[in-house]
């Protein structure tokens, strides 16, 4: 069935470091792919998305490219800030309403 | 900015007791969802609800679970007789009408349910 596997956390980085959080998926067909972020005490917020192969989603300096050949959607940011500390969830939606989420990766950025 | 709210933020209950988790979706949204995340595991889809009926449900959503939209604003998840394995974070989500919004679901902050 459809599923998402993302990098285990927690991840701790210094401010201005480069961030990569890996995400790979298994799906029959061509799902839409998403990254959600959860800041402390808040709900899951859509960070970025890509709906077809080779699309790049971007927002707030974060980017992820839909790679069909490697079934991946890795999240990257060139220079993280303390305010980026949160839990990041990779997700896919294929058919129907439901999303399939990864386990989440906790990121802590230290000054 | 409109947001999805959930109450309570943390619910502790005894095994076998009934619990009701409450959600207030964004006011013009028509599609409603519940997800759960057992500690250390994936966020799992439970159920979707539209036009006052369940539109999809997962294998997890068995007869112990029910959902209801009792009035124009609330959306509830009831667990009739809680089990230890129901301990999890429960997320409510909603999305608006129309195809352009099809992809984005707006999530609440979650209710942490602890079954003792």
């Amino acid at each position: 069935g459809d599923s998402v596997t993302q990098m285990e956390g927690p991840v701790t980085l210094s401010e201005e470091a480069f961030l990569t959080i890996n995400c790979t998926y298994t799906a029959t067909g061509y799902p839409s792919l998403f990254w959600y972020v959860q800041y402390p005490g808040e709900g899951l917020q859509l960070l970025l998305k890509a709906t077809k192969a080779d699309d790049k989603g971007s927002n707030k300096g974060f980017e992820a490219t839909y790679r069909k050949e490697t079934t991946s959607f890795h999240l990257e940011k060139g220079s993280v800030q303390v305010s980026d500390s949160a839990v990041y969830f990779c997700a896919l939606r294929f058919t129907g309403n439901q999303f399939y989420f990864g386990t989440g990766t906790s990121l802590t950025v230290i000054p | 900015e409109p947001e999805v709210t959930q109450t309570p933020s943390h619910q502790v209950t005894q095994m076998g007791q009934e619990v009701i988790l409450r959600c207030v979706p964004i006011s013009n949204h028509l599609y409603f969802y519940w997800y759960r995340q057992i500690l250390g595991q994936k966020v799992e889809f439970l159920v979707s609800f539209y036009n006052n009926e369940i539109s999809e449900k997962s294998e997890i959503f068995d007869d112990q679970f029910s959902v209801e939209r009792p009035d124009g604003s609330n959306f509830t998840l009831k667990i009739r007789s809680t089990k230890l394995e129901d301990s999890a974070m429960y997320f409510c989500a909603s999305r608006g009408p129309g195809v352009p919004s099809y992809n984005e679901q707006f999530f609440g902050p979650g209710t942490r349910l602890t079954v003792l």
Side-chain angles (χ1 to χ4, degrees), chain B residues 10-14 19 112-116:
Chain B
H10 190 191
Q11 173 91 46
V12 180
T13 190
Q14 296 290 323
V19 294
R112 179 164 298 286
L113 176 65
T114 302
V115 182
L116 303 175

Side-chain angles (χ1 to χ4, degrees), chain A residues 4 43 93 96-97 99 103, chain B residues 33 37 42 56 102-103 105 108:
Chain A
V4 172
R93 186 190 64 79
N97 283 299
F99 279 71
T103 51
Chain B
Y33 309 85
Q37 185 182 27
K42 296 184 177 185
E56 282 183 79
Y102 189 76
N103 279 322
Q105 295 181 11

